[in-house]
Amino acid sequence: MRINNAFAALIDARLAGLVHDSVTEEERARHERFLISRLATGAVTMALLPPYLVWRGVPSGIEAAVAVCLILPVVAAFLLSRTGGLTLAHAISSAALTGLVVCLAYLTGGATSAAIIWLVMIPVEALMAGTHRAAILAAFLATAGAVAVALLGPAPEPAQLAWPAGLAMPIFAITAICHVLSLAIEYRRREGSLSDRLRAASARNTLLLDVVDDLVTWHDRSGGVLQASGGSVRLAGAAPSALHGRGLLARVHVSDRPAFLKALSDAGSRDLPVTVQFRLHVDACGPDQPSRVIWAEMRAHRVPAGTGAAGQAAVVAVTRDVSEHQRHAEELDHARARAERADEIKSRFLAVVSHELRTPLNAIIGFSEMLSAEAKLTLPPERQHEYAAIIHGSGRHLLEVVNALLDLSKIQSGSFDLAPEPFDLGTLVHGCCDLMQLRADQGGIEILREVPRDLPDLTADPRACRQMLINLLSNAVKFTPRGGRITVSARRAFDRIELSVADTGIGIAEADLPRLGDPFFQAGSAATYARMHEGTGLGLSVVRGLVGLHNGEMTLESAPARGTRVVLALPIDGRPGHRPGEPVPIRTAPMPESGLPLLRAG
């Protein structure tokens, strides 16, 4: 048994080496069968030819023709091994078989010979074992053979084989039937093996599509779904049949549908794959679970013509859930934006420190040196008093800058200690206005107060509220020209109290409104504002942070030459505020022509 197995393995190895390298795995079996049958025929012919020549002597012309026809299949096998052309090899083999049948018919009675039945077998064999082109060539050769038999007629009497018709017909018919039966059995076995492989491949593909979470869909040229995999349940929360036609398009977000259809159209008209991201509405999986929207990414490929995939499919697409990747991408974008904002704040901080700290420090150092040189330099008392006032003002400015920086740092780190307690907001408003009245009078600015007497007590940190109002009043006085007006008002709005500071100052351009409240940012160009108005740009930042700590809201309305209105909406009951480091959003809008607010907090 081992010897037989080794011999069979040796034959298989030698046979595999004869197959041309260009032959695909699907065609290799046909080439091997052709080589086996033709080489076996040649081996038998070559084995029988010497004894026949010894017995017959010099062969006749018809015998030589028969020998050539029996050797031609070996030539066909040689050409097939060298070129890989199965059609040409079958044509040579069919020509050899046709010649052999013509010779047998010539020797056994011509047109009345039973051997002619074998001419029918020639195209049948080429069709079952070869290709359609080989079958057409074989049919042409068999027809030519039948014509040749009719033209040649029977051989002369001495050369004919004396076969009785009653014996020759059954022999030729039975051999032809057996040959066709063997071809049919081999054909059915080959087709059955192919069907088994196709079923196994289909089962593997179905299992693969059911296992993966991605959704695989086949689309027609209009974008409709022809077939969908089981991944539709996991991705879209719907059965595959629910996505057929326009079912998948109906679940795509309305604003993303043009991009979805364009991607399918582009994929159907080009060889390269097309990728698109869109939002997909996912059906609720249960009665208690609402529908949701996810981010999906589809990669579409063109289906080559003639593959028969999913009927008339033009595009096959693989769709997967990329919501997590989208969230990470958004987080990276936010982190990048925060880093860029932090870098910008750092740059503005350095610019502010170089100006707001160095300038008063230079004044303090310079005028203090002048006062310390009193022994060498006699200064009048009024000049000494002026220098001392400058030193005092510069020191207070430095103290305000440092306090603002410390307050902002505490707010952002969450270490700012709030001490909420009920207090009368009206009293606090009047006190802050009285404090800023002197600066307002020096600038020729009128401060109006609109505080109702029935205003309820506010539960908040009085020191923080005082700081917020003073910062707003300081900004209003700074940016309001002489003859202007500042209005401070307070009113109740449902469960909140709105504190408003409005001025008739220079206002803020609409392009600068979104950046108000950022640390060290001052609206307007450096050439205009930095020269006319000193400041660190921390006032609104501190107010913004304190409002957030009180869980309040901040609204700002402004327009150039029409003034600015800032509204703080604080809860009456003093609820806890935002997380540390999370700035409260500022709602901004241009100042209306009428002067009435467009936005009201609360």
Side-chain angles (χ1 to χ4, degrees), residues 404 458 600:
L458 176 66
R600 300 298 288 176

Side-chain angles (χ1 to χ4, degrees), residues 113-126:
S113 174
I116 298 179
I117 194 173
W118 269 88
L119 292 175
V120 181
M121 301 299 106
I122 297 174
V124 175
E125 179 189 20

